[in-house]
Structures are given as structure tokens and as C-alpha cells.
Amino acid sequence: MALGIVMKLRAGAVALSVLAMMPVQATAESLADALASAYEHSGLLIQNRALLRAADEDVAVALSSLRPIIGWTAKVERSFSKFASATTGGVTAHNSATEANIGLSASLLVYDGGASRLAVAAAKETVLATRQQLISIEQQVLLGTVQAYMNVVRDAQIVELRRNNLRLVARELQAAKDRFEVGEVTRTDVALAEAQLAGGRANLAVAQGNLMASKEQYAASVGHQPGSLRAPRGLPKVPARIDEVRAIAVRSHPDLTAVQHAIQAAEYGVDRARAAMGPTVKLQGSYGITRDLDNDQYFSQGGAVSLGLEQPIYRGGQLSALLRQSMANRDAQRGRLHATRLTIQQQAGSAWSGFASAQAQLRASAQQIEAARIAFDGVREEAKLGSRTTLDVLIAEQDLLDAESNRITARASEVTAAYSVLSSMGLLTAENLNLKVERYDPEAYYNLVKTAPINRSKRGQQLDKVLKAIGKE
């Protein structure tokens, strides 16, 4: 069983995935491949999975207060004294003894107004909230990966575009020099082409620098340097209306669900603070053995059982302050729910608007490229006939370059914006994307610890194996 739990947890434990350790292959890497690698590699996910396991343990800690507390003590005591009295004629007498004692003690909470059970319920709600926070972190990691992937694709295409443009400008420069030799153009035309070529080289250097930076961002997100990346051929399914996006976001976004669980935990906190003002009943027992090490004839043993009732009367206002504090925390969580709902609606609307804008930009850039290409071809032919100058050709060429660059950027923005819409709705997860990864099961560890097993129990030993396996990866 422990091995099965490890298999469920290992995807989000403390290890870099096998994919992250492998060298980049020559085959093209798809966006789905990159997302899978990021899911297995992300240190942020590893960190928050560990925080979830810590929250799971809070349930076990709270549950332990409802169980017997058993302990043992052992001591060896040497006592000595000296005294003088009339019976000794004023002579100082010495007395000493060495005793060994061993004992057992046990206590059981019988009644505390439900405070301990409320603590267990609050811990469970905190676990549910932490699970939702983990989903939110997962969305951040995957969206960051999409952005990194598309930045590399975009910048690589722009570098190639700049190289092609540089070759074209070099041909234009050679043509200008040839025409200058036969007197068709002036030295100014040649200088204009030379300036354009130098500017093209500078722009290529900038584009290459941007590509290098994007590759570093990709490596940080995915776990390895990018090889040949495939531009996505399609887009994830996105609702057609902004109202639908907002409605789904309010229903399913993990941030909102996390706050709802936090409110319920705070409600339990208020009830627990009230219960702390009531009486507590405890059953206690003890048993001990005492032996005089200086006298083999002396030996005693005995025990006691008691049922005690206690209730605080006055603690300097501490209990009242704790009650008011718990109520304030609950009210703060309620206010947070309202603010989170508005934020999620705003983010959903912004994401959908950004997606619609990117699509419109992509359509416009396609039309711009078509018109700019026709204009460039026409200006170049007219220049051959002498009715256009070299400057006219260079301007038309730059317009075409800008249009093509805009389309590349718009395409990258469209893909990123589509995944941003999914994230705003709370749907950008490994499960919803159907990534080929071993998905982290947030219930696997919880199911092992929720009954608060001790290390020597069968389940406790299974937990030891799980944690050792996690630590080795």
C-alpha cells in the first residue's frame, strides 16, 4: 500500500522529474510536453504540496486531543538530612535514603463543550482550503509555462524574420550599388541602403538577445533548455461570451472555494472560543512502584483514579479577548470572500477581453501583411523602372517587416490569452488539460494521517516508507 501511495505522491514530492533530468531531444517539443515537464519539475508545486501535507497533519494533531494521553516516569532520588535533638543529647545525626520510583499516568478528556471536535472540524476545513490553494498554484505554474513557451516560439520566429529581412536588404544594397555604377541612382540611395542594412543587423542582435532571455525563462519554468518548439496548431476551447466566462469563474475558481472553506474554519473557531469558557471533565489515573535501594525490605506500590471537573472563572479577560478575536477573524474572511469574488470576476472579464483583442489583432495583421506585400512588390517594380527611389523601396520593405512581426506577436498573444481565460475560470489544471503526467493525489497522504496513527502502528510504518521515498527523490 505504501508503494501505491508513493506512486500517487511522487509526481509532486521533492524530486525533479525524469523529463527535467534528460537532455533536450532533437524532436520538436509540443506545448503539452512543456506543460507536463513543468508540472513535474516546478519547485513551487513541490513546496505547496509539502505545505498541504503539513495541513493534513493538523487534523491528526487536533484529533489526538480526543484520545487518551499515556505516559511513564522513572527516577532515582537520593535524600539526606542532619539533625540534633534532646533525644540524641545534642549530637548531630545524619539520615539518608536512596529510592527508585517508576510510574504510569493516563488521562482522557471526557467533555470540553465540543471544543476539541470543533478544532478537528476547523483543521479539516483548512485542509480543503489548502487543496484549493494548491490548485491555484498549479494554474500559475502552467500559465507561466504557456507564456514562456510562446515567448520562445515568438522570439525564434522574429529572429528568423530578421535574418530573412537582412538578406533581402543586402540584395537591395547590392542592387543600389549596381545602379549607382551605371548612374541610375545617386550615392544617397546607396547610403540609405547601407543604413538600412546596419539597422537590420542591430535589430537582429536585439531579437537574438530577446530569444536568449526567453529561453532562460523557459528553462526556469520547464526544467530544461528548449530545443525545437512546435507552435500550437489549435487553441483550447473558450466560451464565446464574457458573461459565461465570469459565471464559470465564480463557480469553479479555486481562490473563491478556498476562501469559502476558510470562512467555515473561522466559524468553527468562534464556536471553539465559546466552548473554551465552559467546563471540562477529565478522567485521570496513575500507578507507581517505589523501592528503597538501601533497604531491600522496603517496597511500595499504589495508584489512583479520579474524575475531575473544572471551569475557568476569571483569566484576566483572556478568554473574552480570544472570542472577540475569533469573531474578527471570521468577519475578515467574509470580507475577503466579497473582495475575492470581485477580483475573480474582473480577472475573468479582462482575460476574455484580452483574448478577443488578440484575435482581432491577428485578423488585422493578416490583412496588413497582404496589403504591405502588394505595396512592396509594386514599389520595387516601379523602382526598377525609375519611378520610385531606393528610399521608397526601403520604407515599403520595413512596413512589410513590421506587419509580419505584428502577426507573429499577435499569434503568440492569442494562444497565451486563450490559456489565461482558462486560468481565470479555474480550469487550467493538469486534469482539465489531460496532460500525460502522474497527477498528484491530494487525498492520498491525508487518508493515511487523518486517523493520527503512531509510528509503531502499521499505518505509521507505511507513512515512514512514504516519507523516506519522498525524501530520496
Side-chain angles (χ1 to χ4, degrees), residues 396-411:
E397 181 185 351
Q398 185 63 46
D399 290 341
L400 177 59
L401 176 66
D402 291 342
E404 292 174 336
S405 179
N406 288 340
R407 181 172 64 177
I408 292 172
T409 301
R411 175 56 179 164

Side-chain angles (χ1 to χ4, degrees), residues 61-79:
V61 171
L63 183 63
S64 66
S65 64
L66 295 169
R67 294 178 174 176
I69 299 175
I70 303 173
W72 65 272
T73 61
K75 68 177 180 178
V76 176
E77 183 179 54
R78 174 72 175 177
S79 63

Side-chain angles (χ1 to χ4, degrees), residues 46 58 84 98 101 167 173 207 216 220 255 343 366 382:
I46 292 171
D58 284 337
T98 303
N101 176 272
R167 289 191 288 268
L173 174 59
E216 293 303 318
D255 287 354
T343 299
E382 291 173 5

Side-chain angles (χ1 to χ4, degrees), residues 251-314:
R251 290 197 308 267
S252 61
H253 201 285
D255 287 354
L256 197 62
T257 308
V259 178
Q260 291 170 342
H261 287 299
I263 290 175
Q264 188 58 56
E267 293 282 4
Y268 287 134
V270 173
D271 295 338
R272 186 184 177 192
R274 286 198 180 98
M277 296 180 175
T280 300
V281 179
K282 285 186 178 181
L283 177 64
Q284 296 179 314
S286 62
Y287 179 80
I289 299 175
T290 302
R291 186 179 185 88
D292 190 340
L293 299 182
D294 296 327
N295 183 358
D296 292 339
Q297 303 300 318
Y298 180 77
F299 174 83
S300 68
Q301 61 181 345
V305 177
S306 65
L307 183 65
L309 173 66
E310 64 178 21
Q311 181 176 359
I313 297 176
Y314 178 69

Side-chain angles (χ1 to χ4, degrees), residues 281-359:
V281 179
K282 285 186 178 181
L283 177 64
Q284 296 179 314
S286 62
Y287 179 80
I289 299 175
T290 302
R291 186 179 185 88
D292 190 340
L293 299 182
D294 296 327
N295 183 358
D296 292 339
Q297 303 300 318
Y298 180 77
F299 174 83
S300 68
Q301 61 181 345
V305 177
S306 65
L307 183 65
L309 173 66
E310 64 178 21
Q311 181 176 359
I313 297 176
Y314 178 69
R315 290 188 180 176
Q318 179 194 41
L319 296 178
S320 297
L322 290 175
L323 175 59
R324 293 192 298 270
Q325 183 185 61
S326 63
M327 296 172 69
N329 288 333
R330 176 199 59 195
D331 294 342
Q333 293 296 343
R334 289 175 176 173
R336 181 183 164 203
L337 177 65
H338 177 68
T340 302
R341 180 182 290 108
L342 292 178
T343 299
I344 288 173
Q345 290 175 335
Q346 181 267 324
Q347 290 175 345
S350 297
W352 191 90
S353 299
F355 175 64
S357 175
Q359 287 190 311

